[in-house]
Amino acid sequence: MSPHTRKNTDFGEDVITCILSKLPVESLLRFKIVHKSWCSIINDPNFIKLQIEESSSDINQQKILLISSKIAPSPCLEYNMLVFNIGSTNASSLSANSQVVSLQPPDFFMSRDVSYPLVSSCNGLLCMVCSFKIFIWNPAIQKYKIVQNPDPYVLKRVKSYESTLYGFAYDSINDDYNIVCTFVVNAKGSRYIVGIYSVNNEFWKKIDSIPAGYRLFDQNPVSLDGTVNMMATRSVQENGDSAFNKFAIVSLFVADEKFSVTPIPLQYCGSHMKLSNFANRLYLSVFVEMDFLVCSLEKDGELWTWTNVMKSPTLGSSIGLGNHNCYLDDIVYLKENEKILWRKTDGGFLEYDKRKEEVTEFTMNQISPATELSILFAGSLASLRIPWD
């Protein structure tokens, strides 16, 4: 092959790689059988990293994981259990008629549970906790890995706790995935025990706890760029005045296992405060009196900077904020065209169009109204450095 021909071939492969990296993971899995050279590109670890970056940052590739349940008698227990149905659909075009793709998690997840799972997502991988069983699952390639329970390694002499919060993050420095488990021993007393699991090394260890005095929100931690981020509040007293709450984001950098605290500016403090990750950006949504605000946080080293993204003075009154019949649950998705998607407490959805100042409510036809969990994730080819189960 002449140098000129070789140069054209290399250029062609670069172009193909760039194009393939922007495609949905479902297309990539089909294209692996089209041509050997395409299969080689798609299986390359460097391409997989590129595909993860593209899918995670593209807001149009975000999917919603939908989990619904029904009560069924247990064949071996005296009480009933929950049987789950899991599906996903494209978040940017979610509507009443959206097509929901049924997903098939490991059999043990589907058939043995008595409580709703805790779910965190990172790089297209889902960390799921149900009935004290933990596993990492990539629904795109149908692979999973069971993780050992943290209790014996982290709690030790502590016999009981109120609840747990699970975070899931990728440590790019060590090329490792980490699960962070926060045991809430006493929420009112701000007493926590934190453990971290290394997927590469397959072990749990106890680390320093949440910074003193901070009380965590009962919300799923949010991962971004090697951090696990949690909403928190702290009761303070100044100049002898009565105590009041100060809000902050508590972040754990998984690479060095150190916490940092980012105070939330006063103008972003209010009710229904929620931390979210939309297309690889960290957002805080909040109602300040009747105004709905969304701000983004950009990481600069170990510090965060705040940028106002959206302010809507009409959403609060449109949904009856402050009334006993206010039915919003969690913000689910922030679209490019200034539309906001919310979950409702009855299992339906609400979309608010800021430009038109209109609210549209709908229930998806293909899922049960009892759907109680909706998590954003981006499909990817991500794998682990250790063998799957």
Side-chain angles (χ1 to χ4, degrees):
M1 182 180 292
S2 69
H4 179 72
T5 306
R6 178 70 180 178
K7 183 177 180 180
N8 285 341
T9 303
D10 290 343
F11 177 77
E13 185 172 298
D14 290 342
V15 172
I16 291 172
T17 299
C18 180
I19 294 172
L20 289 176
S21 69
K22 299 181 184 300
L23 296 178
V25 66
E26 295 84 1
S27 299
L28 294 175
L29 294 173
R30 291 195 301 269
F31 289 170
K32 287 176 69 173
I33 62 175
V34 172
H35 198 283
K36 287 185 178 180
S37 64
W38 290 15
C39 182
S40 178
I41 292 173
I42 294 170
N43 286 335
D44 184 88
N46 291 324
F47 174 81
I48 292 175
K49 289 183 179 180
L50 178 61
Q51 187 271 329
I52 291 172
E53 291 175 2
E54 292 286 350
S55 63
S56 298
S57 59
D58 184 354
I59 198 166
N60 293 313
Q61 290 199 42
Q62 306 299 300
K63 299 182 178 182
I64 299 181
L65 183 77
L66 301 162
I67 303 181
S68 60
S69 67
K70 62 180 180 179
I71 299 175
S74 171
C76 56
L77 300 174
E78 295 180 357
Y79 44 85
N80 293 333
M81 66 179 186
L82 296 178
V83 177
F84 295 107
N85 292 312
I86 302 182
S88 70
T89 188
N90 189 282
S92 63
S93 58
L94 190 71
S95 67
N97 298 318
S98 291
Q99 182 179 2
V100 178
V101 178
S102 180
L103 302 177
Q104 299 298 322
D107 290 341
F108 61 79
F109 172 79
M110 297 298 291
S111 58
R112 296 183 181 179
D113 214 332
V114 293
S115 61
Y116 248 79
L118 301 172
V119 184
S120 299
S121 67
C122 178
N123 290 353
L125 299 177
L126 301 174
C127 177
M128 307 187 75
V129 184
C130 54
S131 287
F132 306 103
K133 188 181 290 289
I134 307 169
F135 64 98
I136 299 169
W137 176 41
N138 186 333
I141 61 175
Q142 285 296 296
K143 301 288 186 180
Y144 71 90
K145 182 70 178 180
I146 297 176
V147 173
Q148 56 193 321
N149 193 297
D151 296 34
Y153 308 95
V154 179
L155 287 180
K156 296 183 179 179
R157 296 184 181 88
V158 177
K159 296 181 179 180
S160 63
Y161 52 90
E162 296 175 359
S163 61
T164 52
L165 299 172
Y166 280 89
F168 184 44
Y170 175 65
D171 173 7
S172 60
I173 296 175
N174 299 303
D175 191 19
D176 192 10
Y177 285 94
N178 296 112
I179 302 173
V180 178
C181 178
T182 302
F183 291 93
V184 183
V185 180
N186 187 316
K188 289 184 178 181
S190 300
R191 187 185 173 199
Y192 303 94
I193 296 176
V194 183
I196 190 168
Y197 180 82
S198 164
V199 172
N200 289 349
N201 299 313
E202 297 186 80
F203 73 87
W204 284 96
K205 68 175 180 179
K206 183 179 177 181
I207 62 174
D208 289 342
S209 188
I210 304 299
Y214 286 94
R215 181 177 178 180
L216 300 179
F217 282 32
D218 186 19
Q219 294 180 358
N220 266 0
V222 178
S223 68
L224 179 71
D225 293 338
T227 63
V228 172
N229 305 279
M230 297 163 281
M231 287 289 300
T233 182
R234 186 179 186 182
S235 182
V236 297
Q237 192 170 12
E238 294 181 356
N239 301 323
D241 294 334
S242 59
F244 64 96
N245 289 333
K246 282 191 173 181
F247 296 98
I249 297 173
V250 175
S251 303
L252 172 65
F253 292 78
V254 294
D256 59 13
E257 300 169 3
K258 293 183 178 179
F259 284 98
S260 69
V261 176
T262 303
I264 296 176
L266 185 61
Q267 65 265 34
Y268 298 130
C269 294
S271 63
H272 293 75
M273 300 176 73
K274 177 70 184 298
L275 202 61
S276 306
N277 180 347
F278 301 133
N280 265 5
R281 293 183 68 184
L282 200 62
Y283 290 87
L284 173 68
S285 58
V286 58
F287 282 96
V288 179
E289 295 182 348
M290 298 302 288
D291 291 343
F292 176 69
L293 305 177
V294 178
C295 59
S296 68
L297 292 83
E298 301 289 342
K299 192 170 70 171
D300 181 12
E302 295 189 359
L303 300 176
W304 298 96
T305 58
W306 300 80
T307 303
N308 190 46
V309 174
M310 179 186 295
K311 179 178 180 179
S312 171
T314 62
L315 178 58
S317 57
S318 298
I319 63 173
L321 186 69
N323 300 334
H324 68 279
N325 60 344
C326 183
Y327 43 74
L328 284 187
D329 188 357
D330 276 340
I331 185 171
V332 176
Y333 188 65
L334 184 65
K335 298 185 177 182
E336 286 183 325
N337 53 3
E338 293 193 330
K339 291 183 179 180
I340 310 165
L341 186 68
W342 293 79
R343 279 295 310 281
K344 293 168 55 183
T345 53
D346 62 3
F349 292 88
L350 178 148
E351 185 175 85
Y352 175 71
D353 189 325
K354 181 179 181 296
R355 296 175 183 176
K356 297 181 180 179
E357 297 186 353
E358 293 178 352
V359 172
T360 303
E361 300 182 39
F362 62 91
T363 300
M364 295 182 65
N365 297 328
Q366 289 193 23
I367 65 171
S368 165
T371 298
E372 297 184 22
L373 190 63
S374 50
I375 300 293
L376 274 185
F377 74 105
S380 80
L381 299 170
S383 191
L384 305 177
R385 290 178 58 187
I386 59 174
W388 297 98
D389 288 337

